[in-house]
Amino acid sequence: MTAKKTNDMMDKIVSLCKRRGFVYPSSEIYGGLGSCWDYGPLGAELKRNIDSFWWDAMTNRRDDIEGLDASILMHPQVWHTSGHVEEFSDPLVDCKTCKGRFRADKLEESRCLLKPSKTPLECGGELTPPRRFNLMFKTFMGPVEDESSITYIRPETAQGIYVNFLNVKNSSRQKIPFGIAQIGKAFRNEITPGNFIFRTREFEQMEMQYFIHPDEDEKWFEYWREQRWQWYKALGINMDKLRWHEHEKDELAHYAKKAYDIEYEYPFGWQELEGVHNRTDFDLTRHMEATGKDLRYFDERFPEKFIPYIIETSAGCDRTLLTVLVDGYDEIEVKGEKRVFLRLSPRIAPIKAAVFPLVKKDGMPEFARNVHQQLKKRFKVFYDESGAVGRRYARMDEAGCPYCITVDGQTLQDETMTVRERDSMEQTRMKTEEIIDFLADKVRG
Ligand code: ATP
């Protein structure tokens, strides 16, 4: 895709998000804050639905994974032990011409400050040699602001899981292999955030750490790659737009023995959506050495104690949200008019159905409001009686709502309504009870 088409597509997504209340610039009335975004009414629902879809797949539908919600602020020593204080940095270059600061390994994603249509590779500016820049945000804990009160705002949720390995194992009585799943905010002082919510300084991660016997790492690594691939399929993503990228030796993080990214083809190119990592016994070994606590595992099936290996699946909620928006965005001509369709899966769509009376008379609004009341007990549904029915369909199509239910003249005779499917535009007549079963089936999958 050309730079122009990329920008057009991203501009359309950003504009749809603002118009329909998916995502707004943070602190907008103050001029916004770089790379910070707020989720509006539809965005907040969509994000919760993505979180729940992940949580459901990872915990509710499995017996071997427990949930956790660890605090964002952790003992500062954790970040020394994990290697983040020393190693969690990106290479940074300065441009002597435009005074911009860019990530040296992502120059093709960055824009020159003086010539925004060009990357720092193309604009002719002189770049300094790369130097390391630590991505962790620091803050002070307590009333005294000195070296001894420095704490870090977590750059990943994973460490909260490692330090709770013993707690969860003991309280849940899980046996290896088992996992711990967590959804939570992470913060990174990214050098070049951008591409809307793709790379931000505050974001949400959906991470799962699976504790295994070291002899079985290859098997579980492959297992989790397959599980995560299938999850995106169930999410309704166009699978032709996903691919695997294996990390070469020089790309591997300091803790990883093997790593694969699931990449999506965004308008700005193929980029990481999720990482699956074999972290070996690196994390538990380091925490054991630092704390003196025995984090080795034993049960009667094994001849001796061992430090579990960890297979990690690490996905970004905001990035997944951007992915479903980009993937579902469609523009087509309906009756000579350009219309936007957001083809979100019913499983994650912010509004599952809209209920309309065809006209505002003959008892149709009363019937429709009653149906809305009944559906509301089970699903997020929306009632709309204003404007021509075609306009109402159009508003719901671009909000990603998969079904529109219309009460018409026939409803008053046989209690059936039309259920119009967003993507096929097909209409089927159903009674309220049938609609409830139909929606339950589509939403649950
Ligand atoms: P990148 O190479 O894009 O900086 P990473 O390899 O540092 O990402 P991980 O540390 O593996 O990313 O984080 C796991 C997931 O968290 C990523 O796949 C992504 O979905 C999400 N993520 C990481 N950094 C950000 C960010 N700055 N903004 C939004 N999501 C992020």
Side-chain angles (χ1 to χ4, degrees):
M1 207 179 268
T2 63
K4 164 119 186 43
K5 275 203 177 140
T6 297
N7 290 341
D8 284 356
M9 181 61 183
M10 287 310 289
D11 288 349
K12 282 177 183 174
I13 301 274
V14 174
S15 140
L16 172 74
C17 284
K18 175 84 198 298
R19 187 168 75 243
R20 294 314 313 258
F22 281 97
V23 184
Y24 313 124
S26 168
S27 330
E28 194 180 9
I29 58 170
Y30 283 87
L33 176 66
S35 99
C36 293
W37 302 91
D38 296 342
Y39 290 94
L42 291 185
E45 289 290 338
L46 179 57
K47 190 150 163 289
R48 287 173 79 95
N49 292 345
I50 292 172
D51 281 352
S52 304
F53 190 59
W54 186 89
W55 190 258
D56 192 47
M58 282 300 188
T59 66
N60 302 344
R61 294 192 185 210
R62 304 187 62 108
D63 298 322
D64 57 345
I65 301 186
E66 304 288 342
L68 181 77
D69 188 355
S71 75
I72 288 174
L73 296 175
M74 300 180 71
H75 194 293
Q77 190 55 45
V78 167
W79 305 108
H80 289 277
T81 305
S82 66
H84 282 80
V85 173
E86 290 76 27
E87 308 248 11
F88 194 59
S89 55
D90 277 337
L92 171 150
V93 291
D94 286 298
C95 175
K96 292 185 184 165
T97 316
C98 76
K99 309 288 178 229
R101 293 199 145 170
F102 307 107
R103 205 168 130 178
D105 58 338
K106 302 269 177 195
L107 286 175
E108 67 289 349
E109 276 178 36
S110 313
R111 298 278 137 202
C112 166
L113 299 190
L114 294 177
K115 298 178 192 162
S117 64
K118 298 210 157 37
T119 71
L121 291 168
E122 300 160 340
C123 67
E126 192 190 339
L127 300 175
T128 59
R131 62 199 159 84
R132 304 303 300 182
F133 173 78
N134 195 293
L135 300 183
M136 279 199 296
F137 280 100
K138 280 183 197 165
T139 189
F140 299 100
M141 196 140 170
V144 184
E145 294 193 0
D146 65 14
E147 276 292 308
S148 68
S149 62
I150 289 180
T151 42
Y152 300 93
I153 308 185
R154 72 178 176 201
E156 61 173 32
T157 57
Q159 298 302 324
I161 296 183
Y162 306 143
V163 299
N164 276 295
F165 167 67
L166 273 189
N167 282 338
V168 175
K169 177 178 85 61
N170 293 340
S171 57
S172 68
R173 297 174 36 237
Q174 286 280 2
K175 291 190 164 173
I176 266 175
F178 75 94
I180 304 178
Q182 172 163 232
I183 297 178
K185 291 270 189 177
F187 301 79
R188 296 182 187 174
N189 198 5
E190 298 277 3
I191 299 164
T192 20
N195 285 323
F196 193 30
I197 53 171
F198 177 80
R199 191 183 303 286
T200 51
R201 294 192 170 111
E202 170 181 345
F203 55 98
E204 194 169 88
Q205 289 189 311
M206 308 184 286
E207 292 198 312
M208 193 283 303
Q209 314 290 326
Y210 205 67
F211 300 89
I212 54 167
H213 191 280
D215 291 348
E216 299 198 315
D217 65 338
E218 291 291 328
K219 174 179 117 186
W220 287 114
F221 188 76
E222 288 311 315
Y223 171 85
W224 279 109
R225 277 184 57 196
E226 179 59 20
Q227 292 294 308
R228 296 308 302 147
W229 189 257
Q230 293 303 331
W231 187 80
Y232 288 104
K233 198 168 176 186
L235 193 64
I237 302 280
N238 173 2
M239 298 307 278
D240 293 339
K241 295 236 163 201
L242 287 183
R243 72 177 186 195
W244 284 105
H245 163 74
E246 183 177 7
H247 284 212
E248 301 291 335
K249 282 250 163 340
D250 58 344
E251 270 180 283
L252 279 178
H254 60 278
Y255 50 73
K257 171 176 163 190
K258 203 169 189 183
Y260 274 79
D261 293 338
I262 296 180
E263 293 187 336
Y264 181 82
E265 191 179 17
Y266 296 95
F268 42 88
W270 287 95
Q271 294 283 344
E272 171 179 341
L273 170 58
E274 163 158 2
V276 180
H277 310 129
N278 179 349
R279 296 182 70 126
T280 69
D281 57 5
F282 176 87
D283 303 278
L284 292 185
T285 305
R286 295 278 292 245
H287 287 303
M288 191 160 108
E289 285 164 5
T291 60
K293 298 272 185 280
D294 188 359
L295 301 181
R296 288 175 302 166
Y297 179 88
F298 179 72
D299 76 42
E300 58 290 350
R301 292 171 301 163
F302 302 102
E304 55 195 26
K305 284 187 169 187
F306 62 92
I307 302 173
Y309 266 36
I310 293 169
I311 306 298
E312 166 183 71
T313 69
S314 179
C317 181
D318 314 76
R319 228 173 249 191
T320 306
L321 194 145
L322 175 65
T323 310
V324 298
L325 291 178
V326 167
D327 202 64
Y329 188 93
D330 196 10
E331 270 176 9
I332 52 174
E333 253 189 42
V334 181
K335 295 184 187 139
E337 191 192 334
K338 194 153 42 145
R339 292 253 314 266
V340 174
F341 286 75
L342 195 53
R343 305 197 187 282
L344 299 176
S345 153
R347 294 177 183 188
I348 53 163
I351 299 171
K352 307 300 181 194
V355 184
F356 310 148
L358 182 63
V359 287
K360 268 200 271 186
K361 57 180 188 184
D362 301 336
M364 288 184 211
E366 290 75 12
F367 194 101
R369 265 192 231 112
N370 185 276
V371 171
H372 177 234
Q373 286 300 329
Q374 291 189 53
L375 296 184
K376 224 162 69 170
K377 294 179 196 154
R378 297 280 303 274
F379 316 100
K380 180 85 183 165
V381 280
F382 182 73
Y383 178 79
D384 190 3
E385 59 178 31
S386 63
V389 77
R391 286 268 115 232
R392 284 181 262 164
Y393 280 144
R395 285 201 289 264
M396 298 321 293
D397 291 338
E398 68 165 20
C401 173
Y403 305 106
C404 290
I405 300 158
T406 305
V407 170
D408 58 13
Q410 193 178 325
T411 316
L412 306 175
Q413 279 148 36
D414 65 7
E415 299 192 341
T416 65
M417 291 150 270
T418 59
V419 179
R420 178 249 198 198
E421 212 261 317
R422 178 196 60 211
D423 298 337
S424 65
M425 293 204 206
E426 269 170 23
Q427 303 198 2
T428 318
R429 296 201 75 91
M430 293 185 211
K431 291 188 176 178
T432 310
E433 283 311 311
E434 289 169 312
I435 295 176
I436 291 175
D437 289 348
F438 172 81
L439 288 180
D441 186 45
K442 296 292 180 189
V443 168
R444 180 81 184 149

